[in-house]
Amino acid sequence: MSKTKSYINDFLNYISLQKGDSPHTLRAYRSDLEEFFNFVKVEPEKVEPILIRGFLSEQLLKGKTKTTVARKLSTLRSFFLYLYSEEIIDINPARVISSVKIKRALPKFLTVDDAFRLVESPSEDKFIAYRDRAILEILYGSGIRVSELCGLNLDDLDLKEELIKVRGKGNKERIVPIGKKAKEILKKYLAIRQILRIKKKLVVDETPLFINNRGNRLSTRHVRRIVDKHARAIGLIEKISPHVLRHTFASHLLMEGADLRVIQELLGHSSLSTTQIYTHVDLKHLIEVYDRSHPLSKED
């Protein structure tokens, strides 16, 4: 094994232990680092700032988005900072590289009416409909990530207190409310889930909250298909993902006057700056209301 591969493995083990990043994130780190060293063709000790700038420029010339290039730079910064802290290199070459400037897009979110129509769209008296309705209620009513929803277990649910325990990024736990409507739908879903298990003699894993017809835990891909299916069923033209429901949850809370730090806690954001993007959404909403309502905004 080359020194470079050894350093990359050590780095990934370090951040896995320190930050608890997901396997998906670790794979992205590895891919970025391997791509970089295939480009520069030198060991980490010989990397200079001009090589990093050359790699980033080449990525842009290849048509990679600024968001992707910024992520790759972030990976390189973390990697070389690790090597510097471990005294493997004397100078951190990524330290002098300027950040890639990205125009941050405002998150897409649904109107209140569309959100309600979407959540209420599964209406049949069947296992799948109750399950889908419960999923939509929780995604919109609690704002949790799709990965967090799929990771929910039965013992994470406290119907009496109307709360769920969520494991977020870095395996950090938080408690979020689910609301009375979600509570009632969940009761019906859990009852029919038990009937299904007995009727079909399924060897159901008792752990996961949301399962498919075969008794297996739902994947994030499956949940994305569920959301998209019901969005199309009510005539929404744009593709709606679980993350749009997360944005919708946050945007609607802010519009109703919720404190930004409360929203930060509910979303599981480690930094308030991540949550502050919703203030721009709210400002846009206020301008639209002003344009519709204030006499000075109307043409003669």
Side-chain angles (χ1 to χ4, degrees), residues 72-257:
K72 291 178 185 293
L73 175 56
S74 176
T75 299
L76 293 173
R77 281 176 168 167
S78 298
F79 177 69
F80 284 110
L81 180 61
Y82 164 76
L83 294 183
Y84 180 75
S85 66
E86 293 292 311
E87 299 183 351
I88 295 169
I89 57 176
D90 297 323
I91 297 173
N92 179 354
R95 184 172 175 270
V96 297
I97 306 299
S98 300
S99 298
V100 179
K101 292 184 179 180
I102 303 171
K103 185 179 180 182
R104 197 169 187 182
L106 292 178
K108 180 168 64 177
F109 65 97
L110 300 176
T111 65
V112 173
D113 286 345
D114 281 346
F116 273 57
R117 287 198 304 125
L118 176 59
V119 168
E120 294 170 358
S121 62
S123 57
E124 293 179 291
D125 190 19
K126 295 179 179 179
F127 166 76
I128 296 296
Y130 282 120
R131 183 202 63 193
D132 291 1
R133 174 72 184 270
I135 286 172
L136 294 169
E137 288 278 3
I138 290 179
L139 287 173
Y140 171 54
S142 300
I144 66 176
R145 301 175 179 93
V146 62
S147 58
E148 294 170 344
L149 178 127
C150 292
L152 288 174
N153 297 322
L154 287 170
D155 57 6
D156 293 326
L157 185 62
D158 185 341
L159 285 178
K160 183 179 179 182
E161 298 297 329
E162 298 174 10
L163 299 170
I164 49 174
K165 180 170 66 178
V166 177
R167 279 168 291 280
K169 291 185 176 180
N171 213 30
K172 293 179 182 177
E173 292 186 354
R174 68 185 188 279
I175 305 297
V176 297
I178 57 172
K180 287 181 170 48
K181 282 189 177 180
K183 173 183 176 179
E184 295 308 313
I185 294 296
L186 278 164
K187 279 183 178 178
K188 293 175 181 177
Y189 162 68
L190 291 174
I192 202 167
R193 177 186 187 275
Q194 180 67 2
I195 293 170
L196 178 76
R197 187 178 73 87
I198 295 169
K199 184 178 178 181
K200 292 195 172 184
K201 297 180 180 178
L202 295 176
V203 183
V204 175
D205 185 344
E206 290 295 333
T207 302
L209 176 58
F210 292 113
I211 58 173
N212 59 24
N213 270 326
R214 297 180 298 279
N216 300 320
R217 186 187 294 272
L218 290 184
S219 66
T220 56
R221 181 178 295 181
H222 195 151
V223 174
R224 289 189 184 98
R225 286 202 299 265
I226 288 170
V227 174
D228 182 56
K229 178 183 78 173
H230 292 293
R232 284 187 284 107
I234 63 168
L236 294 181
I237 299 172
E238 291 189 77
K239 188 174 179 64
I240 304 300
S241 68
H243 215 66
V244 170
L245 290 178
R246 178 170 162 85
H247 291 321
T248 302
F249 162 82
S251 301
H252 290 179
L253 278 181
L254 192 64
M255 288 175 187
E256 292 299 318

